[in-house]
Amino acid sequence: MKISVIGLGYLGAVHAASMASLGHEVVGVDVDPAKVEALSAGKAPFYEPGFEALLEEVAQTGRLTVTSDLAAVAGSSVHFVCVGTPQRSDGYAADLTYVDAAIRSLSSHLSPGEIVVGKSTVPVGTAARLAEIVSKAEPGAVLAWNPEFLREGFAVKDTLHPDRIVYGVPEGESGRRAAQVLDEVYAVPLTDGMPRIVTDYPTAELVKVAANSFLATKISFINAMAELCEVAGGDVTQLADAIGHDARIGRRFLNAGLGFGGGCLPKDIRAFMARADELGAGEAVAFLSEVDEINHRRRVRMVDLASDVLGGTVEGARITVLGAAFKPDSDDVRDSPALDVAVRLHENGAHVVVHDPEAVENARLKQPSLSYEPEVYAALDGAEAVLVLTEWRQYRDLDPDKVAEYVAQRNVVDGRNALDRDAWKTAGWHYRALGRH
Ligand code: UDX
C-alpha cells in the first residue's frame, strides 16, 4: 500500500520505517530539516536500539522516502498522523497545536477513499472534532484513531510486534471500511495472531491514556511501598518480588526507584486529569495527582539520601551522577528524573559531574550549567558520592573494586535498585538505596 506518515519523532520515524519493512511504499514528512536530512541519509535522528539497522534494511528496498514537503502525501491510501502532543506551558492539558495543524494541512491533499489515521496521544473527544475537519475538506475520506503503545528502547519491536492493536472508527460503512484498510496495513502482524480491538473514537483515545495511567500508578504504588520500607526497615525489592509472583499483580513495572519520566507517562496523566476535569469527571482520576506527587517525592528523597551519605550537606561536594536519560537504552531526557536530581544537587551547591552513555548531548542542551563527562571513569574521578540514576547495563556491570580506585570516598546511592548491593558492600562501599538498606 501507499502510506504517508506525518511527524517523524520517536513514534513516526519508527512507524514509517516499520511500515516500509512490512512491504508498504512509505513517504515520511516532517517540518524539521535535521530529521529529514538524517533519515534521508539512512541515519537515526535519535538513539533507539535496532532502529538504524531497520533503516539500513529499508534503504535497500527503496520503499521509504522522507521529505519536508507535505504535498508528497498526495496519492497515499493511508495517512498516519504521528506528531507530538506535549504538555501545554500554561497548565496540565495537552497542547494540540501540532495535531490540529497536521490535520488541517493534510486535509487539502486528501482524495475520496483515503483514510487518515491518528496515532498521537490525544484528549478524549479530539478524534470526533478532527473527523469533522477531515470530512468537511474531503467527504469521501475517513478518520480512524489507532493509538500507539511503543516504549522507547523497544520501539522497533513494539511497532512490528505490538501486544495489541486498537482501531477507533466511526459507526457504519465508513468505519468498517477504515478497519478493513487498517487490516491490510497490519496484515503481517495480524497473521501472527496479534489481538485487534475495534472501538469507537472515545474508547480508542481512552485506551491509551488508561494504559499509561495504569503503568504510572503501578510505579508510584511500589514507590509508595518504598517509602514505607524506608521508615519501617523493609526491603522494597523483596516486597516487589513477593507480590509480583501473584499473577493478578505481576512483577513488571514494580521496579522501585527514582520513578517515571519521559515524554509520555508524566504528561499523559496530567492531560488526563485536565480533560477529566473539563468533562466534569475530575474525581474519577483525582488519584493520578497522588501518583504524580509520589513520583516527585522520590526525587526529593534522592537528594536527601545524597546529603545523608555526605554527612548532612551536598554543598561543595563532588558528586558523580550516572545517568541522564529518563530510562536506559534511550537518549531522551524529557522529564528525566535523573537530570532533575542532578539539577537539584547543583542548585544545592554540589559540584555535579554527569555521565550517560547516549544522552549527554541532549542533556547538555537542556541543562547547560551542569558538567558532563563522556568517559565513565573520568566522571567517577575524585567523587565523594556516586549516584546511579538511570539503570544502564554499563552501570549495573561496574566493578565496585575498580570504581573504588577512582573515587575519593566510597559512597554510592542506588537510585534504581540496579546494583548488586552485597558486592558493593563487600568492596567496602557505604551503599544506600531507595526503599531498602
Ligand atoms: C511509555 C509506555 O510504556 C508506552 O506503552 C507508551 O506508548 C509511551 O509511554 P516509555 O515512555 O518509552 O513508554 O517508557 P516506559 O518503559 O514505560 O518507562 C517510563 C518510566 O517509568 C521510565 O522513566 C522508567 O524508568 C520508569 N519505570 C518503569 C520505573 O520507574 N519502574 C518500572 O518498574 C518501570
Side-chain angles (χ1 to χ4, degrees):
M1 296 178 83
K2 278 191 80 180
I3 288 178
S4 83
V5 177
I6 296 145
L8 300 172
Y10 287 94
L11 159 58
V14 177
H15 189 69
S18 299
M19 291 301 104
S21 92
L22 291 178
H24 303 299
E25 289 286 328
V26 182
V27 55
V29 187
D30 200 289
V31 289
D32 177 359
K35 281 201 187 94
V36 171
E37 196 186 320
L39 287 165
S40 302
K43 295 264 168 274
F46 45 80
Y47 177 76
E48 179 61 44
F51 181 43
E52 212 145 82
L54 181 72
L55 283 174
E56 266 169 41
E57 174 203 315
V58 163
Q60 313 279 323
T61 68
R63 287 197 295 259
L64 174 64
T65 50
V66 180
T67 172
S68 53
D69 178 12
L70 191 73
V73 305
S76 291
S77 317
V78 182
H79 306 274
F80 284 101
V81 176
C82 298
V83 295
T85 51
Q87 185 175 333
R88 284 174 62 114
S89 53
D90 61 356
Y92 271 12
D95 179 354
L96 296 176
T97 317
Y98 308 109
V99 173
D100 284 359
I103 294 278
R104 280 182 202 284
S105 334
L106 174 62
S107 290
S108 57
H109 299 284
L110 293 174
S111 300
E114 293 179 2
I115 317 286
V116 177
V117 186
K119 286 196 85 65
S120 311
T121 303
V122 291
V124 60
T126 306
R129 180 173 63 78
L130 298 177
E132 279 184 29
I133 300 175
V134 168
S135 65
K136 242 187 219 151
E138 174 46 71
V142 190
L143 177 82
W145 216 263
N146 170 216
E148 179 56 57
F149 305 100
L150 71 80
R151 297 159 297 169
E152 288 178 30
F154 300 91
V156 174
K157 179 181 162 287
D158 286 353
T159 306
L160 289 172
H161 309 281
D163 292 338
R164 77 302 210 180
I165 198 150
V166 177
Y167 312 153
V169 295
E171 268 185 14
E173 186 44 38
S174 64
R176 275 192 291 279
R177 195 165 52 77
Q180 261 170 17
V181 173
L182 281 168
D183 281 349
E184 281 177 54
V185 172
Y186 296 118
V188 175
L190 282 171
T191 319
D192 293 344
M194 173 184 64
R196 155 192 177 280
I197 297 165
V198 181
T199 71
D200 49 26
Y201 288 146
T203 308
E205 293 165 314
L206 284 169
V207 166
K208 174 62 194 268
V209 281
N212 276 356
S213 297
F214 193 88
L215 294 172
T217 304
K218 211 173 168 189
I219 298 167
S220 277
F221 174 83
I222 201 63
N223 282 332
M225 295 305 108
E227 290 187 12
L228 261 305
C229 286
E230 279 157 21
V231 291
D235 182 319
V236 73
T237 305
Q238 286 185 313
L239 185 147
D241 289 344
I243 64 171
H245 279 299
D246 185 331
R248 292 169 303 173
I249 297 173
R251 180 64 178 81
R252 293 175 73 189
F253 270 69
L254 282 185
N255 293 324
L258 206 46
F260 59 84
C264 291
L265 262 43
K267 65 109 176 151
D268 285 355
I269 62 169
R270 292 175 201 147
F272 198 12
M273 286 187 268
R275 184 61 182 144
D277 267 342
E278 281 171 13
L279 293 169
E283 275 186 358
V285 290
F287 69 93
L288 290 176
S289 158
E290 195 59 39
V291 165
D292 210 8
E293 293 262 314
I294 295 168
N295 197 47
H296 270 92
R297 283 208 295 272
R298 297 288 74 194
R299 303 177 186 190
V300 176
R301 173 73 182 145
M302 188 69 207
V303 174
D304 287 348
L305 273 183
S307 168
D308 266 12
V309 299
L310 287 161
T313 178
V314 299
E315 203 178 341
R318 165 88 166 72
I319 299 178
T320 301
V321 163
L322 296 181
F326 84 103
K327 69 177 205 179
D329 293 320
S330 169
D331 63 358
D332 194 344
V333 297
R334 284 177 294 172
D335 207 337
S336 166
L339 201 54
D340 186 21
V341 167
V343 169
R344 287 167 192 248
L345 293 166
H346 173 75
E347 284 169 358
N348 288 347
H351 173 51
V352 182
V353 177
V354 181
H355 175 270
D356 190 283
E358 297 292 339
V360 163
E361 242 174 84
N362 286 342
R364 201 195 300 273
L365 280 174
K366 202 158 183 193
Q367 297 296 348
S369 58
L370 297 176
S371 303
Y372 297 91
E373 177 50 65
E375 206 279 311
V376 71
Y377 290 105
L380 289 162
D381 199 31
E384 291 162 73
V386 178
L387 273 47
V388 179
L389 303 187
T390 312
E391 68 278 33
W392 286 92
R393 180 86 254 164
Q394 181 182 3
Y395 304 150
R396 290 178 184 274
D397 290 345
L398 282 172
D399 174 355
D401 286 315
K402 182 165 180 199
V403 177
E405 291 169 18
Y406 292 84
V407 298
Q409 285 176 39
R410 294 181 195 193
N411 291 316
V412 63
V413 189
D414 185 356
R416 293 289 180 181
N417 287 306
L419 303 179
D420 179 343
R421 175 182 53 187
D422 294 342
W424 284 74
K425 281 189 171 175
T426 307
W429 285 79
H430 177 205
Y431 173 95
R432 297 292 300 271
L434 291 166
R436 60 178 185 158
H437 301 279

